[in-house]
Amino acid sequence: MWEILSDNWLLLLVGQWPHGPVGGLVATVGLAIVSLLLAFPLGIMLALGRISAHKIFFWPATAVVYVVRGLPLIMFIFWVYFFLPLLIGNSVSGVVTMVAALALYEGAYLAEIIRSGIEALPRGQMEAGRSLGLSHMRTMRKIILPQALYNTIPSMLSQFISTVKETSLGYVISVHELTFAAAQINNMLLTKPFQVFALLALTYFTLNLILTGVVKLVEKHMGSGQAVTAA
Amino acid sequence: MIEFKNVSKWYGEYLALDNVNARVEKGEVLVVCGPSGSGKSTLIRTINRLEPIQKGQIIVDGVDVYQCGSIDEMRSHIGFVFQQFNLFPHMTVLENLMMAPVLLKRMSKHDAREHGMALLERVGMGHKADVYPTQLSGGQQQRVAIARALALKPRIMLFDEPTSALDPEMVNEVLMVMKSLAADGMTMVCVTHEMNFAREVADTVWFMDAGRIVETAPPKQFFETPQTDRAKKFLSDLRH
């Protein structure tokens, strides 16, 4: 197993780069970061829709969240992969497909996290902003969201961890990420699937163990700093 | 001036305000008291439209609060002080005071800071300008909240049980600030159980029961010769 690692660590880390697209672990982390960055504003918008008193915002946002949460991610990957090209008339690369599907999927989950953060704040915060004469949107932006987003950082980081794992589904549409690299190695070696996939599991596990540690640290730090917890 | 005309409010089936007709004059200090559930908090919250009403009108300085073009503009002339202070915990004390003038009056940060500091000095909190609200005692938080409500130079100040969430030894510092506001001629509506405050500072006392204002009198008259049995019982319960 260690031999496999020492022979192939570069492929597992960066794929065929610099002779091809960046792959491997770097692509996995990159996919997770980019899609979560895109999912973040989407999540905020969906969350605001979910708590909106206006039906034209509430219903579409709620529909998106329910549909996304009710279907497996791989469905979205297939949908984007097969139907987006028909819609826009261009072929779409696997990476773009994966980012789009993940952003939508994670956006819906982030929306629920952010919504819970907003709803956990005392109602008086909104009332205090409004009674100063701030509009609803301004109160949201200056008072509610800064607190809600800060308070939900640990949950959002946890979502990042599951996003890292979900990037492995990119394998089915040949996105060059970590699982794809492992499969390539397996195809070369042919006789050592157990060792190769054990190595793959270990890599994901170690990465997420580190990330979980980061979440723990952040939680601890937030718990000790009382400046920004809701009164 | 605040005027209630045939104001009724329901929470579902429950009648919270029952055809209220009353007025508060400019410069008047009004204390609203009554048993819990009598509608006094609901009443004060309707003045800046924190609670919707189903019937009637509330006119503040000639403008119908529930029909006006911009409720935000209206609210910037009315200061509101909450029982739970509701300071913004992610901002320092001074930032709490600076936000509204900077956002709504286009005041420069520099001017807003000076203005905010002056207000903090006024409520005796100048030395805490740069700390976060959660590091303050309840009484200190409430004094900051009053300063914040004053930051836009409102014409009217509303106090919704401002001392009810405080430890007894902190009540006085808040009442002192309120008294100094009253002495400056501010129009004030105070929902409070502090009967000594009412006695010393109020021009008028409204006694509410079951969504109605059942007595309106100067404090001396209200405390010495209450007219209704409900008010008599309320006052005797307070003394025990």
Side-chain angles (χ1 to χ4, degrees):
Chain A
M1 198 160 127
W2 302 118
E3 200 177 325
I4 301 174
L5 183 62
S6 65
D7 289 345
N8 296 289
W9 66 273
L10 199 61
L11 184 66
L12 283 171
L13 189 64
V14 296
Q16 278 142 3
W17 189 83
H19 309 293
V22 175
L25 186 61
V26 172
T28 285
V29 174
L31 272 174
I33 290 175
V34 172
S35 44
L36 210 66
L37 285 180
L38 292 174
F40 186 63
L42 177 68
I44 292 177
M45 283 192 294
L46 287 173
L48 293 180
R50 293 272 289 138
I51 56 168
S52 176
H54 302 287
K55 289 190 170 117
I56 51 163
F57 297 122
F58 174 78
W59 283 112
T62 303
V64 169
V65 168
Y66 271 73
V67 167
V68 169
R69 294 205 309 176
L71 295 173
L73 173 59
I74 198 152
M75 291 267 319
F76 286 93
I77 297 172
F78 286 146
W79 275 81
V80 176
Y81 192 66
F82 292 116
F83 294 105
L84 195 60
L86 292 182
L87 272 180
I88 62 175
N90 270 333
S91 67
V92 176
S93 78
V95 173
V96 172
T97 301
M98 199 57 204
V99 167
L102 274 176
L104 176 65
Y105 199 75
E106 302 307 330
Y109 280 91
L110 284 185
E112 291 299 272
I113 292 172
I114 293 166
R115 181 177 68 91
S116 75
I118 292 172
E119 288 176 345
L121 292 176
R123 199 176 54 143
Q125 289 291 307
M126 176 55 88
E127 288 184 348
R130 295 310 305 275
S131 67
L132 283 172
L134 270 61
S135 65
H136 181 85
M137 271 323 282
R138 255 188 172 158
T139 309
M140 260 302 157
R141 214 171 63 227
K142 298 283 180 181
I143 295 161
I144 305 299
L145 279 178
Q147 297 181 60
L149 295 179
Y150 180 85
N151 293 338
T152 49
I153 284 173
S155 306
M156 291 197 279
L157 286 175
S158 298
Q159 194 60 36
F160 180 72
I161 293 176
S162 63
T163 308
V164 166
K165 291 186 291 183
E166 280 152 0
T167 56
S168 63
L169 288 174
Y171 173 73
V172 300
I173 54 168
S174 302
V175 176
H176 291 228
E177 40 68 68
L178 184 61
T179 304
F180 188 87
Q184 275 183 311
I185 296 166
N186 185 45
N187 288 344
M188 286 187 292
L189 302 176
L190 286 175
T191 56
K192 298 200 169 77
F194 177 78
Q195 289 90 328
V196 171
F197 289 112
L199 207 55
L200 178 65
L202 201 63
T203 313
Y204 276 118
F205 185 78
T206 310
L207 175 62
N208 283 333
L209 198 64
I210 294 167
L211 290 173
T212 308
V214 171
V215 176
K216 282 262 152 61
L217 270 179
V218 169
E219 268 174 355
K220 204 172 154 197
H221 175 76
M222 285 174 62
S224 64
Q226 48 178 270
V228 197
T229 53
Chain B
M1 190 200 67
I2 307 164
E3 196 171 2
F4 296 88
K5 289 185 182 171
N6 308 314
V7 173
S8 292
K9 174 181 175 64
W10 285 264
Y11 290 106
E13 296 282 293
Y14 178 74
L15 182 59
L17 294 177
D18 184 2
N19 198 35
V20 173
N21 282 283
R23 51 193 285 157
V24 185
E25 300 300 334
K26 186 170 188 303
E28 187 173 350
V29 176
L30 169 71
V31 163
V32 183
C33 64
S36 65
S38 59
K40 44 194 200 310
S41 274
T42 306
L43 183 78
I44 198 173
R45 287 163 58 86
T46 61
I47 298 172
N48 72 349
R49 214 164 103 180
L50 281 178
E51 298 285 349
I53 57 173
Q54 281 77 38
K55 208 166 127 291
Q57 287 178 301
I58 297 171
I59 318 266
V60 174
D61 291 335
V63 181
D64 186 331
V65 176
Y66 287 80
Q67 301 290 330
C68 63
S70 168
I71 185 61
D72 297 331
E73 158 74 16
M74 187 85 205
R75 282 172 174 152
S76 70
H77 300 300
I78 304 174
F80 198 104
V81 177
F82 297 87
Q83 180 178 352
Q84 299 295 340
F85 331 132
N86 293 340
L87 293 174
F88 306 132
H90 59 305
M91 299 178 186
T92 66
V93 163
L94 187 56
E95 284 165 356
N96 265 271
L97 270 69
M98 288 167 60
M99 188 187 65
V102 168
L103 288 178
L104 299 176
K105 291 205 169 167
R106 304 284 166 97
M107 201 185 266
S108 72
K109 286 239 160 118
H110 176 265
D111 290 352
R113 180 168 290 122
E114 281 191 354
H115 178 56
M117 278 309 296
L119 285 169
L120 285 177
E121 294 296 347
R122 177 168 178 184
V123 299
M125 290 296 296
H127 60 299
K128 296 284 189 183
D130 295 318
V131 308
Y132 284 91
T134 43
Q135 293 163 265
L136 302 178
S137 71
Q140 290 175 321
Q141 287 193 52
Q142 193 61 297
R143 284 189 280 155
V144 172
I146 293 172
R148 182 179 67 181
L150 290 168
L152 290 173
K153 304 192 175 80
R155 297 190 289 255
I156 298 168
M157 286 286 282
L158 308 176
F159 295 86
D160 186 6
E161 306 209 18
T163 57
S164 300
L166 299 176
D167 292 338
E169 74 269 22
M170 293 169 183
V171 169
N172 222 20
E173 58 188 271
V174 172
L175 292 181
M176 293 295 283
V177 171
M178 291 171 65
K179 281 177 192 170
S180 89
L181 274 177
D184 287 353
M186 177 66 81
T187 309
M188 292 165 62
V189 179
C190 317
V191 172
T192 181
H193 296 294
E194 294 299 325
M195 290 303 126
N196 286 329
F197 174 81
R199 216 181 297 257
E200 284 175 49
V201 183
D203 299 306
T204 313
V205 174
W206 291 356
F207 175 74
M208 290 189 72
D209 186 40
R212 278 186 300 253
I213 300 172
V214 293
E215 270 190 57
T216 301
K220 189 166 154 47
Q221 186 185 328
F222 175 71
F223 290 113
E224 285 171 13
T225 54
Q227 300 298 303
T228 58
D229 290 342
R230 194 66 194 81
K232 283 174 195 160
K233 178 170 189 314
F234 175 74
L235 287 172
S236 83
D237 286 348
L238 271 188
R239 288 188 195 104
H240 301 122

